[in-house]
Amino acid sequence: MDDECCEPFELAGTGAAVLLLHGFTSTPQSIRHVGHALHARTGCTVAAPLLAGHGTSPEDLARTTHRDWIASAETALRELERKADRVIIAGLSLGGTLALNLAIRHPDRIAAVATINGSTGIYRPEQARAVFDAPFGSYCTGIGSDIRHPGRHEVCYDRIPTSTLHERFLLTTATGLMLPLLQQPLLIIQSRVDHVVEPTNAHRIARDSGSASITMRWLDNSYHVATLDYDREMIVEELARFAASI
């Protein structure tokens, strides 16, 4: 396994399948270790697609909207449904938002959902203001590689199209308002220190979700990109336990 590979991947297995989604401006590189370790531990199929506009250039991302990111995830879901008897969806950051969104809108197709530092529309004041203050068509500094471990990094864009900040704001906020419609078993994994997504998002997901089965796990030794950080083996353990319980 090449930990620096940014390409989408699929690991064939048996039984359940896990659809694993990367975050905003990132690639499957950020979730590759967790995906491969989860497959080795459980034997289930694990697939991680590349979201539209990602893995190429910030200019390509600027030509996409939240509908394109959702479509990427839904295409991967359709492909997995042909190979597994049930699908669990999980994601990091915006991937966690997409996981919640798809689980809410496709309750008969997704058996369970897990979020890792997922965003549901809770922003720091300066983050919300940037949605309105940034000139449309411009670029701002990237937000990637928020990792405590000094020897690991996230392959991601160093610039973000401001147009996509609007798209991300719409997707996360709308998904947060839809949380009472979520009915599947839910695993929430959240870093206590996160410089990108407010940790209070985890409380909001637990409080507002309509799920009758909610598990929350806090990470004490990782920042936002926890799947590449010190606690990544704990994430594998939690996802494996969660998948086995479904």
Side-chain angles (χ1 to χ4, degrees):
M1 178 184 64
D2 181 1
D3 285 345
E4 296 300 303
C5 181
C6 300
E7 295 299 314
F9 63 88
E10 181 174 325
L11 308 170
T14 59
V18 178
L19 177 56
L20 192 56
L21 304 173
H22 67 78
F24 183 58
T25 77
S26 189
T27 73
Q29 177 263 348
S30 63
I31 51 176
R32 183 170 297 275
H33 175 85
V34 166
H36 278 256
L38 181 63
H39 174 260
R41 179 161 179 166
T42 65
C44 64
T45 298
V46 179
L50 181 67
L51 300 179
H54 292 73
T56 53
S57 70
E59 288 73 24
D60 283 343
L61 183 60
R63 289 186 278 271
T64 65
T65 70
H66 70 280
R67 294 182 181 275
D68 298 306
W69 311 333
I70 289 174
S72 297
E74 290 179 333
T75 297
L77 173 61
R78 284 194 297 271
E79 294 173 355
L80 272 186
E81 286 177 312
R82 295 196 293 266
K83 305 169 184 177
D85 55 8
R86 61 194 182 282
V87 176
I88 299 166
I89 188 167
L92 168 68
S93 190
L94 189 73
T97 306
L98 289 167
L100 291 168
N101 188 286
L102 264 65
I104 291 167
R105 295 189 301 105
H106 304 292
D108 57 330
R109 300 169 61 188
I110 295 173
V113 58
T115 67
I116 307 162
N117 295 336
S119 176
T120 58
I122 297 178
Y123 292 95
R124 293 189 295 275
E126 62 272 18
Q127 290 177 311
R129 177 170 177 169
V131 173
F132 299 96
D133 287 352
F136 198 82
S138 64
Y139 292 79
C140 62
T141 303
I143 56 174
S145 215
D146 182 35
I147 302 172
R148 186 171 185 174
H149 194 295
R152 298 173 189 160
H153 74 283
E154 178 187 21
V155 178
C156 56
Y157 294 150
D158 60 357
R159 295 179 297 129
I160 304 173
T162 54
S163 61
T164 60
L165 295 180
H166 297 79
E167 298 296 326
R168 184 184 65 165
F169 190 84
L170 173 60
L171 176 59
T172 56
T173 303
T175 300
L177 293 172
M178 292 161 56
L179 284 171
L181 302 177
L182 180 67
Q183 299 299 318
Q184 298 96 317
L186 171 64
L187 171 63
I188 306 165
I189 300 175
Q190 176 64 53
S191 298
R192 294 191 187 277
V193 179
D194 187 330
H195 303 101
V196 177
V197 169
E198 281 292 299
T200 50
N201 275 279
H203 293 298
R204 194 243 181 118
I205 297 170
R207 181 196 68 210
D208 291 356
S209 170
S211 174
S213 175
I214 301 174
T215 302
M216 184 181 293
R217 294 289 183 264
W218 289 92
L219 306 179
D220 294 319
N221 206 23
S222 296
Y223 293 157
H224 182 63
V225 192
T227 49
L228 288 174
D229 219 326
Y230 286 109
D231 293 313
R232 65 183 188 177
E233 302 305 332
M234 183 185 300
I235 293 173
V236 174
E237 180 180 341
E238 292 295 340
L239 288 175
R241 185 182 298 116
F242 184 60
S245 71
I246 304 303

